[in-house]
Amino acid sequence: MKSQEVTQLKLPDTPGVYFFVKGIGTGREVLYIGKATSLADRVKSYFSADVLAARGEHIARMVAEADTIEWEQTDSVLEALLREAALIKKYQPHGNVIGKDDKSFNHVVITDEPFPRILTLRGKDLAEVLAGRMAHKLTRRDIKWTFGPFTSGSSLKEALKLVRKIFPFRDQCVPCEEHTDRRSQKGKLLSRAPRQPTVPSYPLPVTDPSCTPCFNVQIGLCPGVCSGVINRKDYNRIVQHIKLFFDGKKKTLLGELERDMKVFARQQEFEKAAEVRRELHALRHIQDIALLKRTTEADTVRTEHGQGAEPAVRRAYRIEAYDVAHLGGEETVGVMVAIVNGERETTEYRQFRVRGNTRGSDIDALREVLERRFAHDEWPLPQLIVVDGGEAQIGTAERALRAHFGPDVPPIPLIGVVKDARHRPREIRGLKNTPAQTTRALIAKHERAILLANSEAHRFAINFHRKRRRKNIV
């Protein structure tokens, strides 16, 4: 398919999912499915001059092979994420190898219990359970519904946070019914629920004083399964709503909620009616800013250079720092750390065991780490990269960037921290071909964050290397 044909499609600037399709009619084949914050911007990015370097050979081949592009609009990025997973599961497109074959990606599981749990399972663990082998204390009979694969673990984590704020659910706590049953059978209470804090955050209604509310009850993320506040019928109504949402049936869900609200109002169950009204409002005004940030940060190189930047993306200034560690060329490792708006973002730290024969070369190890990092399109891109070293390390990082984004795309700014004999920062440098004034301004604005990133990368690399050495010694 050619870029001229894409401009004629008039894709909307809204969230949604898109399909690369080959053939028509009965011979129609879906080659690839993806999600987007902006369908127009995302699809156009596949037709840039550097698509081979930026996305890899199999994606470039898929783009050339496709005859047309189809899409579905959604009301939010959250719904686009859920819809993408459902469609990958349905069509099993060849281009989504990462979503179809890689057993490390997550699935959402709803258990088959009186009070079902909502859990996430790695693909490999889910395969074990479905094959009849127990994993995570689950058997095949314990699973009622599954959703996925979700190709981005961080996006799924944000999505579940959003869903849980709308529809609180149980994940680990023990239902009050089970406490009561055990007490009646054994003459005493056997509780695995977390201990209730001395001073709860707000008064909690408890129907059975022997049942202990879990922590999630106190912060509004569990409806009170463990404390006996909610019965099976009402809880399973919540679970059905979650299932409809994950199935992409938002309109059906909204219709059911509106009917429930009217029924509760007629029955003068005004508290329940108010809760349903809250759910309706939340669904119609999904605030997925955190998920939007994770999705759109993948395009920050382009937005930083004036191509449709969004304020929410520009405000999150992400610095990534890299370092490597080894002992005489043995157990070579590399790390990436992330500093966002001057603060450590430890959930975004990454470790790499260097696979190539680098022969103790820090430069070769750094190149491998950067190449592997930029192969992860699902990770958000930084606005600044910091390496430990001077001209050689900065040059290596620049070549890795050019190889990924192509020679015509302005690279992410690069900074090197040069150390003295005691490994203390002596100088902060920029690229040779970057104007000195630009580098000085960048350093003046972000010096503290640059030094923090460099220090964190060194600490993280040394610790990872020591763990590897200890493991081998044992």
Side-chain angles (χ1 to χ4, degrees), residues 196-197 200-207 212-215 217-220 227 229:
Q196 185 179 4
S201 55
Y202 57 84
L204 299 169
V206 179
T207 56
T212 307
C214 69
F215 176 71
V217 170
Q218 300 176 55
I219 59 176
S227 59
V229 173

Side-chain angles (χ1 to χ4, degrees), residues 201-358:
S201 55
Y202 57 84
L204 299 169
V206 179
T207 56
D208 187 331
S210 66
C211 295
T212 307
C214 69
F215 176 71
N216 284 324
V217 170
Q218 300 176 55
I219 59 176
L221 299 181
C222 172
V225 170
C226 44
S227 59
V229 173
I230 191 169
N231 59 37
R232 289 190 189 187
K233 180 181 177 182
D234 289 342
Y235 180 72
N236 276 278
R237 183 180 68 86
I238 294 174
V239 172
Q240 285 293 331
H241 294 163
I242 294 172
K243 178 185 181 296
L244 283 172
F245 194 48
F246 271 86
D247 279 336
K249 298 177 180 178
K250 183 181 173 183
K251 288 183 179 179
T252 303
L253 174 55
L254 289 172
E256 286 195 7
L257 289 172
E258 286 174 353
R259 285 194 296 273
D260 287 348
M261 184 172 65
K262 291 174 183 176
V263 169
F264 289 141
R266 280 199 302 270
Q267 295 173 348
Q268 297 188 353
E269 296 185 76
F270 300 117
E271 287 187 8
K272 287 185 178 181
E275 177 61 20
V276 174
R277 186 170 62 248
R278 181 198 65 79
E279 293 169 352
L280 277 166
H281 179 79
L283 277 175
R284 287 171 174 152
H285 304 88
I286 291 173
Q287 299 296 311
D288 52 7
I289 293 171
L291 190 60
L292 177 70
K293 174 176 169 288
R294 290 191 177 276
T295 305
T296 56
E297 274 185 335
D299 298 319
T300 51
V301 170
R302 290 183 176 85
T303 59
E304 282 294 306
H305 296 282
Q307 299 179 27
E310 296 182 28
V313 178
R314 283 202 297 262
R315 283 198 298 269
Y317 195 87
R318 178 185 175 97
I319 298 175
E320 288 182 2
Y322 297 84
D323 202 357
V324 297
H326 59 85
L327 183 63
E330 298 295 323
E331 286 300 330
T332 304
V333 300
V335 299
M336 176 193 94
V337 303
I339 305 296
V340 179
N341 291 340
E343 302 294 334
R344 299 175 183 88
E345 190 71 45
T346 55
T347 58
E348 300 290 320
Y349 287 17
R350 298 291 183 266
Q351 299 172 332
F352 303 85
R353 289 179 59 191
V354 176
R355 300 166 182 163
N357 182 15
T358 58

